[in-house]
Amino acid sequence: MQLPKPFLFFVLATLHSIGFVDAAVLVDFQVAQPPPVPKDAKQCTIEILRRDFAFSFGSAEVVQFEPPVDCGAIGSWAAITLNFTVTSNGTQFDRLGIFTFQNVEIWRTSTPEPTRGDGIIWTYVKDVTRFTPLFAMPGLFILQLDNLIQPGLDEIYSTVLHATFYASSHSNPPAKKADLIVPISNLRNDTGNEVSVPPTFSLNVTLPRNAIQAFAELYASGNGNEEFWVNSYKPSLELCPLTLPAGFLGQGPFREVRMLVDGQVAGVAYPYATIFTGGIVPTAWRPITSYGALDLPTYFLDITPFIPILVDGQPHNISLDVTSAEEDHTILQNWFLSGSLQVFVDISSKPTTGKVTQYSADPFSTTTTVGNVGDNGDIHVTVTALRKIHIESTIISGTGKENRVVWSQDLQYQNVQNILNNTLIQNVFQTSSGSVLSTHNGVPVIVDRFSYPLSIHFTELDPTGNSFKSTFDHSYNRDLRPLPTVVRSRISERQTATGFFFISPDGNTGNGTNSNTFSYSDQAGNTYSRVVEAALGNITFDKQTGSLAPLPMPNQDHLQPFTGFTGKVRLPGGRKLPGL
Ligand SMILES: *[C@@H]1O[C@H](CO)[C@@H](O)[C@H](O)[C@H]1NC(C)=O
Ligand SMILES: *[C@@H]1O[C@H](CO)[C@@H](O)[C@H](O)[C@H]1NC(C)=O
Ligand SMILES: *[C@@H]1O[C@H](CO)[C@@H](O)[C@H](O)[C@H]1NC(C)=O
Ligand SMILES: *[C@@H]1O[C@H](CO)[C@@H](O)[C@H](O)[C@H]1NC(C)=O
Ligand SMILES: *[C@@H]1O[C@H](CO)[C@@H](O)[C@H](O)[C@H]1NC(C)=O
Ligand SMILES: *[C@@H]1O[C@H](CO)[C@@H](O)[C@H](O)[C@H]1NC(C)=O
Ligand SMILES: *[C@@H]1O[C@H](CO)[C@@H](O)[C@H](O)[C@H]1NC(C)=O
Ligand SMILES: *[C@@H]1O[C@H](CO)[C@@H](O)[C@H](O)[C@H]1NC(C)=O
């Protein structure tokens, strides 16, 4: 959870200090495939930054990066990974972390909430090979991790970030790369380069006149009053006989992230709802974080159809925004967005030509049904949305090659909320799914078939709000080829979790369980699957298989002791904890 400045007062007021059991350091992790890197390549590891984030609000870590010279020619690497390792011991909220390199956001993460005693440690290794053009130049590397230290929140996040470069060779060819990566960001050099919307963010971008292909990557997460956007509900007074907690006055649960080129929609994303580790019941996310918490998913658009417009040598207006399904399409504050364009140019310096031959991007259609407002006040609300985009262009490169480009998105969304028992029960069933495809001369380039079903069943166990429980069933199913330089891969992840939480002046207590079934495979033949379960902070089952599976750890069966609850809670629907 990243707290925008107006919300500081909320943290100041949030004080529930908690008892602990002294035990060994807790190893937190998010389930994910290990990056598919060459096993037999020479590796060069450099430390990029090392920083203890204490009171770091507004004070990002800014370092100068120099490419390594001892792993083959600069930019010829077979792969690049980042290793972010963090320790923490005490009481703290989850925090958002944004890695910006050369003004391009390359990784959005968040922090597991610490425990006191021996504390926690986590490592996440991320594949950043697609950003090779950035790593091949010296430049600024920025980690923004806005943390607060104040009464009741004492924890520092001690971080270290290493990059590992894998030398290319005959058997491990250099990674394919774009010619140019253009940031769609605030371009600042002293903080993370995300922008906060609303309002719509716009930036002038000028592409080389011989650009022939361009692909966008978007980062998007709801923060502040938008953290639990899937739970947002806008009651109309005549339909809602209840006095809902203040935060229920959201803008409905539907959010569409959009990119516009000169005011025309170029593509959209129906975002995956990342739950941070303080989300709803923190005990459900320890030691296994919610899926995506350490590596938020990103979204890919083929904007090659706009090349005929973008290659005139003039600046063009690229915009990012988020809309709701409400009549005015507004959202609450705030979403953090950023993006980049991976651009490919022709070998000829002659300007590219072409034209957009078909453009169809009608606004999404949506329905909101409020049914069965019972005598008892129960509310059932269903929001649906459908979106279709179809854009075609013909592009002719300076060397005379013709590319017929078709870009289509076909997305569906449904969110059903049941608010029961005088608001003590709040159930959400959401699914967003879609089929995204671009073809160049009939050959698939960008592919994204996704389905993100989520159900949250939240219950306040007593009307004082001092105890609550929740169950979660969250999946991330994605068949993705994000860029022409990256192989197509398929991920199926399902996480079910449960948790109880009891707030007490003598120390909060609770429990949680978390179960993951994860599989990854890609067109290069790499496979990985993991079934891992935790109960009460202990790993109770863990099996990894596949070509990317790490070698068995000597103490793999060792139970992970559970050390208590020093995490901070944020509840859905704007519910406040007692005493706030
Ligand atoms: C990641 O970095 C940490 C801290 O430097 C190190 O202990 C760990 O071995 C590294 N893990 C991997 C997989 O490189
Ligand atoms: C964690 O912090 C507590 C004080 O809050 C301290 O007693 C303990 O030694 C620390 N643990 C580690 C591993 O540094
Ligand atoms: C950041 O930009 C400002 C204004 O352009 C400049 O004065 C400053 O030197 C830059 N800082 C770094 C670290 O590049
Ligand atoms: C983009 O540049 C044009 C002039 O070419 C200017 O009028 C416009 O305000 C700029 N837009 C942004 C968002 O900077
Ligand atoms: C850029 O496009 C956005 C979205 O259509 C629009 O709100 C904004 O006014 C435009 N900016 C300029 C300078 O034309
Ligand atoms: C509804 O709330 C009351 C407390 O107000 C509780 O006693 C009852 O068990 C709840 N019913 C359900 C179905 O959760
Ligand atoms: C968690 O605590 C609740 C309430 O005390 C209890 O009913 C439940 O069985 C506990 N769950 C586990 C997995 O121990
Ligand atoms: C968790 O693991 C610890 C350490 O092995 C053990 O003492 C504790 O009983 C375990 N808890 C459960 C519920 O299995």
Side-chain angles (χ1 to χ4, degrees):
M1 180 197 63
Q2 163 106 2
L3 291 170
K5 289 190 173 86
F7 292 90
L8 286 176
F9 73 93
F10 173 73
V11 171
L12 281 165
T14 309
L15 301 176
H16 294 284
S17 94
I18 305 152
F20 64 88
V21 184
D22 207 1
V25 63
L26 185 72
V27 182
D28 288 301
F29 63 95
Q30 182 207 303
V31 173
Q33 74 282 8
V37 292
K39 290 192 163 85
D40 54 350
K42 180 183 178 194
Q43 299 176 21
C44 306
T45 295
I46 58 173
E47 182 178 303
I48 294 189
L49 59 86
R50 185 180 287 271
R51 164 85 180 265
D52 290 344
F53 287 89
F55 192 104
S56 57
F57 207 94
S59 158
E61 183 68 6
V62 181
V63 297
Q64 179 69 30
F65 166 87
E66 295 292 338
V69 293
D70 50 354
C71 246
I74 288 174
S76 72
W77 308 295
I80 311 170
T81 57
L82 295 178
N83 170 345
F84 188 48
T85 295
V86 187
T87 56
S88 191
N89 165 25
T91 302
Q92 195 49 267
F93 274 108
D94 57 78
R95 303 293 182 192
L96 203 62
I98 292 179
F99 295 90
T100 303
F101 185 32
Q102 319 263 22
N103 295 119
V104 174
E105 182 168 354
I106 60 168
W107 184 2
R108 188 171 298 187
T109 188
S110 70
T111 62
E113 293 197 340
T115 53
R116 188 181 305 282
D118 289 317
I120 62 168
I121 185 168
W122 78 92
T123 288
Y124 193 91
V125 180
K126 182 174 169 74
D127 188 345
V128 289
T129 309
R130 68 181 180 277
F131 299 110
T132 295
L134 305 178
F135 283 93
M137 299 180 292
L140 281 191
F141 200 109
I142 303 173
L143 171 54
Q144 178 187 357
L145 199 164
D146 284 345
N147 194 27
L148 297 173
I149 301 292
Q150 53 202 31
L153 292 179
D154 60 353
E155 202 25 52
I156 295 168
Y157 288 108
S158 299
T159 71
V160 57
L161 181 73
H162 288 97
T164 298
F165 297 80
Y166 295 80
S168 57
S169 62
H170 183 66
S171 50
N172 300 308
K176 291 186 192 144
K177 55 177 192 271
D179 295 303
L180 173 75
I181 300 182
V182 178
I184 310 295
S185 77
N186 66 24
L187 303 178
R188 284 178 61 168
N189 67 8
D190 58 350
T191 188
N193 277 197
E194 78 285 2
V195 297
S196 177
V197 306
T200 298
F201 171 75
S202 295
L203 181 74
N204 270 333
V205 170
T206 306
L207 290 193
R209 300 208 61 189
N210 62 340
I212 48 170
Q213 300 184 94
F215 305 90
E217 177 170 5
L218 302 181
Y219 288 77
S221 57
N223 304 272
N225 279 355
E226 290 278 324
E227 181 171 342
F228 296 106
W229 49 281
V230 298
N231 289 98
S232 287
Y233 168 55
K234 189 178 191 184
S236 67
L237 287 177
E238 66 277 17
L239 288 171
C240 176
L242 299 173
T243 307
L244 291 169
F248 274 80
L249 294 164
Q251 291 300 84
F254 174 76
R255 296 292 179 273
E256 183 179 86
V257 179
R258 310 192 299 173
M259 176 179 265
L260 300 92
V261 174
D262 292 337
Q264 283 195 301
V265 172
V268 302
Y270 282 7
Y272 170 82
T274 304
I275 300 173
F276 300 112
T277 60
I280 307 181
V281 183
T283 45
W285 313 123
R286 175 172 302 163
I288 308 176
T289 72
S290 41
Y291 185 76
L294 300 187
D295 188 9
L296 276 76
T298 59
Y299 311 95
F300 298 88
L301 310 176
D302 191 341
I303 65 158
T304 306
F306 291 86
I307 283 287
I309 296 166
L310 293 170
V311 290
D312 61 359
Q314 299 301 310
H316 289 272
N317 178 11
I318 307 250
S319 308
L320 300 176
D321 70 6
V322 179
T323 61
S324 73
E326 299 308 303
E327 262 171 41
D328 59 4
H329 293 325
T330 61
I331 62 168
L332 300 174
Q333 293 288 350
N334 58 323
W335 277 70
F336 289 151
L337 306 182
S338 80
S340 60
L341 305 182
Q342 299 234 356
V343 180
F344 295 79
V345 298
D346 196 45
I347 46 167
S348 154
S349 58
K350 273 171 67 185
T352 305
T353 58
K355 64 171 190 238
V356 181
T357 53
Q358 196 177 331
Y359 177 84
S360 154
D362 291 338
F364 58 81
S365 63
T366 175
T367 61
T368 298
T369 318
V370 181
N372 308 332
V373 180
D375 292 342
N376 60 358
D378 288 358
I379 302 172
H380 306 270
V381 192
T382 301
V383 177
T384 66
L386 292 173
R387 162 66 103 167
K388 280 190 200 299
I389 289 174
H390 187 99
I391 309 172
E392 296 189 13
S393 286
T394 301
I395 290 151
I396 299 151
S397 70
T399 41
K401 284 198 206 91
E402 183 179 284
N403 184 7
R404 281 166 294 107
V405 181
V406 180
W407 164 237
S408 63
Q409 294 192 287
D410 187 354
L411 313 180
Q412 301 90 36
Y413 171 88
Q414 183 178 55
N415 179 293
V416 178
Q417 291 194 51
N418 300 315
I419 300 168
L420 312 173
N421 205 6
N422 202 29
T423 76
L424 292 180
I425 296 175
Q426 189 176 357
N427 297 335
V428 180
F429 307 94
Q430 174 170 299
T431 186
S432 53
S433 58
S435 182
V436 172
L437 179 67
S438 76
T439 58
H440 291 194
N441 287 331
V443 178
V445 178
I446 305 302
V447 179
D448 191 355
R449 294 167 201 274
F450 67 93
S451 160
Y452 307 142
L454 166 64
S455 69
I456 303 175
H457 187 148
F458 175 80
T459 305
E460 300 253 23
L461 294 166
D462 67 69
T464 67
N466 275 309
S467 57
F468 44 89
K469 66 172 182 179
S470 191
T471 63
F472 304 85
D473 189 347
H474 203 180
S475 293
Y476 178 87
N477 301 312
R478 202 169 184 191
D479 173 3
L480 177 69
R481 185 178 185 210
L483 291 166
T485 53
V486 180
V487 296
R488 186 166 171 180
S489 67
R490 193 186 289 262
I491 288 176
S492 299
E493 152 73 358
R494 181 172 181 192
Q495 184 174 53
T496 54
T498 64
F500 280 78
F501 211 84
F502 305 100
I503 290 171
S504 153
D506 307 326
N508 299 347
T509 57
N511 63 38
T513 65
N514 192 311
S515 165
N516 291 258
T517 307
F518 177 91
S519 72
Y520 168 92
S521 61
D522 67 33
Q523 284 192 336
N526 300 296
T527 58
Y528 177 74
S529 65
R530 185 171 193 179
V531 177
V532 59
E533 294 170 3
L536 309 173
N538 291 328
I539 299 298
T540 52
F541 184 87
D542 189 1
K543 184 164 190 223
Q544 301 178 57
T545 53
S547 65
L548 299 174
L551 296 172
M553 306 286 281
N555 58 352
Q556 204 180 16
D557 300 329
H558 181 71
L559 285 177
Q560 183 65 61
F562 186 65
T563 55
F565 310 101
T566 48
K568 310 302 281 185
V569 187
R570 285 268 280 171
L571 295 180
R575 292 169 193 266
K576 298 275 184 273
L577 293 168
L580 301 180

